[in-house]
Amino acid sequence: MTGFDRDATGLKIGVFLFVMFFLLGSGLWVGLALMGVAYMGMIGFTPRNPGSSMSITVWTSASSWTLTSLPLFIWMGEILFRTRLSEDMFKGLAPWLARFPGGLLHSNVVGCTVFAAVSGSSAATLTTVGKMSIPELRKRGYPEFMIVGTLAGAATLGLMIPPSLTLIVYGVTVKESITGLFMAGVLPGLVLAAMFMAYIALWSVIRKDQAPAPEPRLPLKEKLRASTLLIPVVVLILVVIGSMYAGIATATEAAAFGVIGALILAALQGSLSWEAFRESLMGATRTSAMIALILMGASFLTLAMGFTGLPRNLAALIAGMELSPIALIAALTVFYIIIGMFLDGISAVVLTMAIIEPMIRAAGIDLMWFGIFIVVVVEMAQITPPVGFNLFVLQGMTRHDMTYIAKTAAPMFLIMVLMVAILVAVPGLATWLPDTIQAAR
């Protein structure tokens, strides 16, 4: 095995995949597994010293200023999760949604949409909204199939609606503007949420026998009184997203505003105990460290693959097929759905972008648009077995069998496939808002 044999593409791919699946299958942390694959690739296929290359690359990727927003947004979500702010959000939404076709099932979708706008994490969104909505919906007689399925799908909006951890990681990986990507995710996120709500309404019309009796009508005064509970969360969303939209703050600065705002609101509300503060900080530290290790490993793997010439050869191979951009996107959709069955979303993004990015650039596909496409297919991966992360979280919350939860989430998966088709047909859905903001500046 040498780094000078340009025709050894198949051998290189085989060695990389064998080592990767061996290490991941052995239960090794994803970040360390990626470093191990890269190290073996450097030893086997290049004359470079892997030790010095690894130390430089790992330090460079870990010390990126753009990455600073990641732990801050995670911490903001943890603060909301561990205080009463999230509970008040649900109480404020429920009276307005009760009379919709499908009733309070819509609170799963709207609750996840609102919480996603201040969290950025699919798992945090699912856990927070699920803890509030599952007992309430069960008590009111809604079918378990719809409770679990709508929650599994809607929680994936935490990856799309800004601030999104996946978009931050994607932006760092391909060197795109984080703020621009956040703005690109707003409209597709709202459209996807509307599609989920349309599915619930359609279910309530077709399966009237399963829908519980409508909630009693509340006077407008009662609804408005309940809505006051939404004010803190709405203020926080306006501070975080509004500061980026107006050009006042970068993504990192907006994340810092969000953390300070969440702490102030929780303190004013009286739900910020020392224990909640400590747990939120430790939770954010654990999650951030995990993602940082994955990014370090992926960064070293990208370097190793670059030295072997693998991305260049694969890009040339696909270019030789002369696939149209739409055919390429269709192939990548299937590819990411399959890889998402075995890897979490962030790992899937950082692991593949070294190979995928040159293809996308060669095909003339907008990287901003492609970031939103990536998020939608990664959202699908969150609810596909055997390693669908949202399925694991829901299993822990509901004690249902994994197969049952996957079946309940299947309609939401199909809605996301439809969303990919809409993005391909109407690319402006993702690019219009960031382009408009850029032009206004």
Side-chain angles (χ1 to χ4, degrees):
M1 298 193 298
T2 80
F4 307 106
D5 181 3
R6 289 174 177 261
D7 297 323
T9 305
L11 174 65
K12 292 172 184 176
I13 292 173
V15 170
F16 271 118
L17 289 178
F18 173 77
V19 176
M20 183 186 303
F21 285 115
F22 175 77
L23 292 176
L24 290 173
S26 68
L28 195 65
W29 292 349
V30 173
L32 295 180
L34 298 184
M35 287 185 193
V37 175
Y39 197 88
M40 292 300 294
M42 291 284 281
I43 290 174
F45 298 118
T46 75
R48 287 290 299 263
N49 178 356
S52 61
S53 299
M54 181 171 71
S55 57
I56 294 167
T57 309
V58 164
W59 172 253
T60 305
S61 65
S63 58
S64 165
W65 172 249
T66 315
L67 208 56
T68 314
S69 59
L70 190 68
L72 290 172
F73 278 128
I74 293 171
W75 192 16
M76 181 175 69
E78 288 278 345
I79 294 165
L80 295 174
F81 170 57
R82 295 173 195 282
T83 59
R84 214 174 63 237
L85 286 167
S86 52
E87 185 183 336
D88 285 354
M89 179 189 77
F90 183 81
K91 289 177 181 174
L93 287 173
W96 297 99
L97 300 171
R99 303 297 297 184
F100 276 44
L104 285 176
L105 279 173
H106 290 289
S107 63
N108 273 347
V109 179
V110 178
C112 285
T113 305
V114 174
F115 194 79
V118 285
S119 166
S121 164
S122 173
T125 302
L126 174 57
T127 309
T128 305
V129 177
K131 278 200 328 186
M132 297 177 292
S133 70
I134 290 174
E136 291 294 326
L137 294 174
R138 281 175 174 169
K139 190 166 66 180
R140 288 169 167 80
Y142 285 92
E144 189 76 3
F145 185 89
M146 289 298 291
I147 295 173
V148 176
T150 54
L151 188 58
T156 63
L157 292 166
L159 301 179
M160 170 81 79
I161 293 174
S164 159
L165 304 188
T166 308
L167 282 177
I168 294 172
V169 171
Y170 172 81
V172 170
T173 308
V174 301
K175 298 178 175 57
E176 274 288 319
S177 161
I178 305 293
T179 306
L181 285 166
F182 280 178
M183 294 303 107
V186 172
L187 289 179
L190 294 176
V191 169
L192 188 55
M195 290 166 72
F196 289 153
M197 292 181 74
Y199 161 68
I200 292 170
L202 188 64
W203 164 82
S204 72
V205 171
I206 295 172
R207 305 302 298 267
K208 288 183 179 177
D209 56 314
Q210 294 183 1
E215 296 283 316
R217 288 186 180 275
L218 283 177
L220 182 62
K221 187 188 292 185
E222 289 293 320
K223 288 184 179 180
L224 292 174
R225 185 179 293 124
S227 297
T228 58
L229 296 171
L230 289 172
I231 292 173
V233 176
V234 171
V235 168
L236 196 57
I237 292 170
L238 290 175
V239 167
V240 174
I241 299 180
S243 62
M244 288 187 288
Y245 184 93
I248 299 168
T250 63
T252 304
E253 291 160 350
F257 291 157
V259 169
I260 294 167
L263 287 170
I264 291 171
L265 289 173
L268 290 174
Q269 196 186 46
S271 59
L272 182 64
S273 63
W274 171 248
E275 185 64 20
F277 177 84
R278 192 183 67 80
E279 285 183 5
S280 71
L281 189 56
M282 291 306 297
T285 303
R286 280 191 293 270
T287 307
S288 303
M290 176 196 72
I291 294 173
L293 186 61
I294 291 172
L295 282 172
M296 289 176 197
S299 171
F300 184 36
L301 182 59
T302 301
L303 180 76
M305 293 178 100
F307 277 129
T308 62
L310 193 54
R312 183 182 64 249
N313 292 339
L314 281 174
L317 185 67
I318 291 181
M321 295 179 187
E322 297 184 350
L323 292 175
S324 67
I326 291 178
L328 179 60
I329 290 298
L332 289 176
T333 303
V334 175
F335 169 72
Y336 274 109
I337 289 172
I338 293 170
I339 204 171
M341 291 179 180
F342 305 99
L343 288 175
D344 67 276
I346 288 173
S347 301
V349 171
V350 295
L351 188 60
T352 57
M353 284 318 297
I355 297 173
I356 301 299
E357 186 186 352
M359 299 180 199
I360 296 305
R361 291 186 187 275
I365 296 170
D366 186 284
L367 280 174
M368 196 81 74
W369 178 91
F370 189 72
I372 304 308
F373 161 80
I374 281 278
V375 168
V376 176
V377 290
V378 164
E379 282 179 345
M380 295 182 203
Q382 296 283 305
I383 54 173
T384 49
V387 193
F389 193 65
N390 282 13
L391 303 183
F392 286 123
V393 176
L394 268 172
Q395 188 181 35
M397 292 173 69
T398 63
R399 304 297 175 195
H400 285 303
D401 180 71
M402 180 69 76
T403 308
Y404 173 81
I405 298 173
K407 283 179 183 175
T408 68
M412 312 302 269
F413 176 88
L414 295 175
I415 290 171
M416 290 180 206
V417 174
L418 179 60
M419 184 68 204
V420 170
I422 291 171
L423 276 174
V424 171
V426 191
L429 197 63
T431 57
W432 176 80
L433 188 58
D435 288 348
T436 305
I437 293 171
Q438 189 64 34
R441 290 177 187 170

